[in-house]
Amino acid sequence: MNEKDSGTHGRATSPKPGDKAIDLSGVELVDLTRDEMKALAKPRANWVEVAEQVAAVYPKVADALGLAKFDPATAIQKPIAQIAELAPYEAWLEKALEMVRETRAKAASDAWRAMLRVYRRANDVAVEEPSVVKAFRFVSDFLANDSTRGHDDGPT
C-alpha cells in the first residue's frame, strides 16, 4: 500500500488480507527494552472511555487543576487514536508471522520427508548396492545422535 492509493496523506491505512507489504512510514514506532516494557503503566480493562471523558472534562477545570502546558488532545486523545490506528496492523502482522512460521515448518517437513525417502531407499537397495549405504552413512550417524532430536525449521 502506498500513501497515494490510501488517501490518508501520510497516515497508515488498514492492511487488507491480500497485502504482501504494509506501509507504516507515517507511524513512529518504538522499540523498547524488556525493562522499559515492564516500566510501562498497565491500563485497566475498558479504560479508553474513561480517558476520553477525562479529556472532555479537563478544559472545564483546567485552571483549577493547574497542570502547566497539559493538552488533553496530545496527552490522551492522540495516543488513543494511535492505538486504534495500529490495531489492524497488529492483527495483520501476527497473522503474517503465523503464516511465515507455518510456511517454514511445511518447507522443513517437505525437505525432511524427501531426505528420509532417499535414505530409506538407500537402505532398501543396500544388499545389491552396498556403496549406496556407505554414501549415506552420515545420515545414519545423524539419526542415531540423541542430541539432534527435537524440532528445527531449518536455517535462520
Side-chain angles (χ1 to χ4, degrees):
M1 288 184 285
N2 66 46
E3 291 175 16
K4 292 177 185 174
D5 297 337
S6 68
T8 59
H9 308 290
R11 294 181 43 126
T13 59
S14 296
K16 293 166 190 61
D19 291 344
K20 297 276 189 217
I22 58 173
D23 181 7
L24 288 171
S25 61
V27 179
E28 186 176 331
L29 298 174
V30 298
D31 185 14
L32 303 177
T33 65
R34 186 173 303 208
D35 289 339
E36 289 170 328
M37 283 296 295
K38 286 180 182 178
L40 294 177
K42 312 303 187 266
R44 290 184 178 193
N46 305 316
W47 66 275
V48 172
E49 184 178 324
V50 174
E52 288 172 337
Q53 290 174 0
V54 167
V57 170
Y58 179 82
K60 298 172 189 165
V61 294
D63 291 338
L65 292 175
L67 295 174
K69 299 181 182 177
F70 182 82
D71 177 17
T74 303
I76 297 174
Q77 294 166 327
K78 185 177 178 183
I80 289 173
Q82 185 178 38
I83 293 165
E85 180 181 17
L86 290 174
Y89 287 96
E90 184 175 14
W92 186 92
L93 289 167
E94 285 175 354
K95 181 62 177 174
L97 179 57
E98 175 188 321
M99 291 171 65
V100 165
R101 288 181 174 149
E102 290 169 356
T103 302
R104 291 188 75 223
K106 184 177 180 319
S109 174
D110 292 348
W112 179 255
R113 285 183 175 157
M115 180 200 76
L116 290 177
R117 182 177 179 210
V118 171
Y119 177 68
R120 284 185 195 115
R121 184 66 184 140
N123 284 328
D124 290 346
V125 300
V127 174
E128 300 91 32
E129 298 289 338
S131 64
V132 172
V133 172
K134 287 180 185 175
F136 289 105
R137 179 73 186 160
F138 66 95
V139 179
S140 298
D141 294 344
F142 175 80
L143 294 174
N145 184 347
D146 281 342
S147 70
T148 62
R149 292 184 193 268
H151 180 71
D152 182 2
D153 284 338
T156 56

